[in-house]
Amino acid sequence: MKEKRKDTTVTNAVRRSKETSADFPDGGLRAWLVVVGAMCNTFASFGYVNTWGIFQNYYETTLLKDSPPSSIAWIGSVQYSLVLLPALFVGRLFDLGYFRSIFMPSSCILVVATFLTAQCTEYWEFLLCQGFLVGLGCGGVFGHTAPVIAHWFKRRRGLAMGWVAMGSSIGGTVLPIIGKNLLPAVGFKWTMRIFGFILMTILVASNLLLKRRLAPRKVAGGLFNIRAFKSAAFTIYCLSGFFTFLGLYTVLTYVVVSATASGISPNFAFYYVAIANASSLFGRYTSGNICDRVGPMNVIIPFTAVAGILTYTWPFAQSMGSLVAVVVIYGFSSGAYIALFSNPVLEMGDTLDVGRRSGMFRSITALGALAGPPISGAINTATGEYKVVGYYAGTAVLVGVGLMCIARHLLLKRILGKI
């Protein structure tokens, strides 16, 4: 009897969700257009933020060369965290029916902040515009992605989310290459302005294509549904996200800087961020394809473990070829986690509450994304090398993997099974 009562909130919600799966379109022109719109979301939010590595290196050597690397890293970590942190508010408002009124202003904030970054010269200006304003704009855009997909897909949700996540890989691949070629040709100001025009075009398409399907309904509870944490599985999975993000963005943030410090040509080192993001595209596509057959947690646990191990090895790869191999495998494996890390939470409750539930989870993970890169920068400053940084970040990711395994066991209660 005790075992049956354990995690009843999650179990009953999953059962109700399965019973109504026939109500979801799971395909058709309108549903797939929503996926295209959501891909534009991730291109303009996570894809843009994932280019931070080229800015970290550029600022260290030019505009902010008098600032320590850990201070510069705060700009990127604020971006990373604010992509996720507003999800708590955005998700709850989405459940209540507020979509366009949040999504359109967030799109405008992101574009305007990018244009304002072009005018920045001081550290605090970059922190405000490229850190806080870009991050908040990205958070308002990205926060709608998982909830709106959950309105249209159930049985094929993993495939849909895999395609959606590919948008960030495309953005994280294309934008660094554009930036690398534009910076010496037209300068920093016009590079950022061109980025602004690209984001404007992408977000116009996203605003036209995205549409919620289910009528809003006020679900019991306020902004923060504390009852969800009565489920040990949900609570532990939230902790796993915090630890994983504490180490996950260290490689993308510092790979360019570490490469140039190892003697690799700066002209080539810029491309490591693009290579990692291009590889993550295939990881996201592959994970999305197999997710619906074996379950999201069965996919992200091994892939994220590989990303953690590669984080350990990254500082030891000091030749051009070996570092390419590391970032390719790292990008592939970490891309699978980014593609599907919200999917288990989508299944841990009712669809009508999906915005608030996924928002709580993402807000917790945002704290890890905020603290991770600056901690890595401080460790590098204190030790003078990136090996200890790799030990710290790799350990954080693997602790997250261990917590995922515990959450999986609490839900499945056996070794083998789809979940």
Side-chain angles (χ1 to χ4, degrees):
M1 291 296 291
K2 288 182 180 179
E3 191 169 314
K4 286 184 179 179
R5 284 196 294 267
K6 202 173 185 180
D7 285 338
T8 54
T9 302
V10 171
T11 305
N12 291 336
V14 171
R15 187 180 298 117
R16 288 195 305 270
S17 182
K18 288 181 179 177
E19 289 170 354
T20 59
S21 62
D23 298 334
F24 290 79
D26 265 316
L29 177 61
R30 192 66 191 90
W32 286 113
L33 285 176
V34 169
V35 170
V36 174
M39 289 179 70
C40 294
N41 272 18
T42 56
F43 180 105
S45 55
F46 252 116
Y48 183 32
V49 168
N50 281 346
T51 66
W52 170 251
I54 68 168
F55 291 107
Q56 176 80 28
N57 182 72
Y58 184 78
Y59 292 158
E60 283 189 29
T61 56
T62 54
L63 299 176
L64 300 175
K65 60 184 178 182
D66 294 328
S67 300
S70 58
S71 296
I72 297 173
W74 273 108
I75 302 171
S77 65
V78 167
Q79 277 187 335
Y80 288 138
S81 64
L82 288 179
V83 175
L84 300 167
L85 191 62
L88 176 62
F89 304 95
V90 173
R92 179 56 173 161
L93 291 171
F94 180 89
D95 291 334
L96 296 175
Y98 297 95
F99 172 45
R100 297 288 178 196
S101 58
I102 306 298
F103 189 72
M104 292 182 67
S106 298
S107 302
C108 294
I109 289 172
L110 175 53
V111 173
V112 171
T114 302
F115 281 112
L116 287 175
T117 303
Q119 305 303 123
C120 295
T121 56
E122 303 292 331
Y123 173 78
W124 69 268
E125 296 173 340
F126 285 103
L127 183 62
L128 176 62
C129 293
Q130 195 171 12
F132 283 98
L133 289 181
V134 167
L136 283 171
C138 287
V141 168
F142 182 72
H144 292 92
T145 305
V148 78
I149 291 297
H151 273 213
W152 292 87
F153 290 86
K154 173 61 182 174
R155 183 176 53 84
R156 304 174 74 186
R157 187 175 289 169
L159 177 63
M161 289 297 288
W163 277 97
V164 168
M166 287 170 61
S168 64
S169 293
I170 296 171
T173 302
V174 172
L175 293 176
I177 294 175
I178 292 175
K180 165 66 176 67
N181 289 279
L182 285 178
L183 282 170
V186 299
F188 175 76
K189 290 185 177 181
W190 269 105
T191 297
M192 296 307 300
R193 290 166 185 159
I194 292 170
F195 274 9
F197 286 119
I198 292 172
L199 294 176
M200 183 188 301
T201 304
I202 294 294
L203 288 169
V204 166
S206 182
N207 276 271
L208 292 174
L209 293 173
L210 283 184
K211 180 183 179 181
R212 57 178 296 133
R213 184 179 68 91
L214 301 176
R217 184 182 299 177
K218 188 172 182 179
V219 183
L223 178 67
F224 198 82
N225 183 15
I226 194 68
R227 290 180 300 174
F229 293 97
K230 292 181 179 179
S231 164
F234 178 76
T235 302
I236 292 174
Y237 189 70
C238 288
L239 287 174
S240 78
F242 169 80
F243 279 100
T244 302
F245 274 95
L246 200 62
L248 193 69
Y249 280 115
T250 291
V251 174
L252 284 177
T253 298
Y254 294 104
V255 65
V256 177
V257 182
S258 67
T260 54
S262 300
I264 297 172
S265 168
N267 290 328
F268 184 82
F270 261 94
Y271 289 104
Y272 281 117
V273 174
I275 292 170
N277 283 303
S279 178
S280 76
L281 185 148
F282 296 99
R284 295 166 198 229
Y285 175 77
T286 303
S287 61
N289 266 340
I290 62 178
C291 169
D292 295 320
R293 293 195 292 270
V294 303
M297 294 192 78
N298 289 337
V299 176
I300 61 176
I301 287 173
F303 274 86
T304 312
V306 172
I309 294 169
L310 265 294
T311 304
Y312 281 124
T313 62
W314 145 64
F316 295 92
Q318 298 187 354
S319 67
M320 183 184 296
S322 63
L323 194 51
V324 167
V326 166
V327 298
V328 166
I329 302 172
Y330 177 83
F332 186 91
S333 54
S334 63
Y337 178 75
I338 295 298
L340 302 176
F341 77 105
S342 292
N343 280 46
V345 177
L346 301 182
E347 303 295 335
M348 291 182 185
D350 191 81
T351 304
L352 295 173
D353 193 39
V354 68
R356 176 171 58 180
R357 192 171 60 257
S358 62
M360 290 189 299
F361 167 68
R362 289 182 175 181
S363 295
I364 292 170
T365 63
L367 301 177
L370 175 66
I375 291 174
S376 296
I379 292 172
N380 172 250
T381 301
T383 62
E385 61 178 7
Y386 286 97
K387 292 177 182 178
V388 181
V389 175
Y391 296 147
Y392 148 74
T395 300
V397 173
L398 292 181
V399 168
V401 171
L403 291 170
M404 285 183 225
C405 293
I406 295 172
R408 179 187 181 278
H409 178 72
L410 290 172
L411 288 171
L412 200 56
K413 297 182 174 65
R414 60 182 187 272
I415 296 176
L416 299 177
K418 177 182 177 180
I419 190 166

